[in-house]
Every structure is written in structure tokens, then in C-alpha cells.
Amino acid sequence: MNRSHHQELLNQAIAGDKDALGELLEDYRAYLTVLAQRYMDNRLKSRMDAGDVVQITFMEAQRDLGSFRGHHIEELLGWLRHILRNNVSSAHQRH
């Protein structure tokens, strides 16, 4: 992944460019899917796909980008991992 390109996309997204945010999130889909699979236990995996958790995470990230206080791609990744962990935890509680 091209870090400088991702940083530029993040700058555009913070400035309100929804297409830039969408492109940025898509570039991290595979990474977040692997993380979701690691966070999910086998029982949950039998009821829910990791891709579904990632999609929910993307929807929340798009909705809540205004509350993101970082400026760097590493901070965005930490924020996305936090949202993803919360979504996996919520899914475990529901199922």
C-alpha cells in the first residue's frame, strides 16, 4: 500500500471528500477482514461473516469521521481497529 497516497486520501476525506474516504476504506478492506477473523471466535464465525463486520465498521467510519481527531494514516488505522473490535464485541454479545 502506498502510504503517501493513503495520507493524501485521508487529508481529502477529512476535508469532506466522501469518495476519497471510500477509496481509502476499500484499500484496507482485506487488512480489516483478516483482523475481524482473528477477533471472532468459532461460534460467531459460524453465524456471521467477517466481511459483514468490516462493512458495518465502514458504515460507522463514514458516519463518524467528523469525530476522528487524528491526522495521520496510522491514527486512522488505530481508529478503524477500535471500531472493528467494538463491532466484534457487540456481535459476540448478540449471538
Side-chain angles (χ1 to χ4, degrees):
M1 292 185 211
N2 182 335
R3 187 185 179 291
S4 63
H5 176 65
H6 286 165
Q7 184 63 51
E8 181 59 32
L9 287 173
L10 176 58
N11 294 343
Q12 292 169 7
I14 290 170
D17 185 337
K18 293 189 184 321
D19 291 336
L21 179 60
E23 184 179 339
L24 188 58
L25 293 176
E26 279 305 317
D27 282 353
Y28 289 112
R29 182 180 293 276
Y31 167 72
L32 291 170
T33 300
V34 168
L35 287 181
Q37 289 169 339
R38 277 192 207 152
Y39 297 157
M40 295 168 72
D41 66 23
N42 288 334
R43 219 179 73 212
L44 183 57
K45 286 179 186 174
S46 71
R47 297 171 181 227
M48 184 176 207
D49 185 73
D52 294 334
V53 179
V54 172
Q55 193 59 38
I56 293 166
T57 299
F58 283 179
M59 290 173 14
E60 291 178 1
Q62 289 170 330
R63 180 194 70 200
D64 297 339
L65 185 65
S67 67
F68 173 65
R69 295 290 170 239
H71 299 284
H72 301 287
I73 202 69
E74 293 82 4
E75 294 168 309
L76 179 74
L77 288 174
W79 185 66
L80 290 172
R81 284 191 302 266
H82 176 75
I83 295 170
L84 182 70
R85 273 191 189 271
N86 286 343
N87 286 330
V88 170
S89 178
S90 295
H92 278 126
Q93 291 171 3
R94 279 195 311 276
H95 295 282

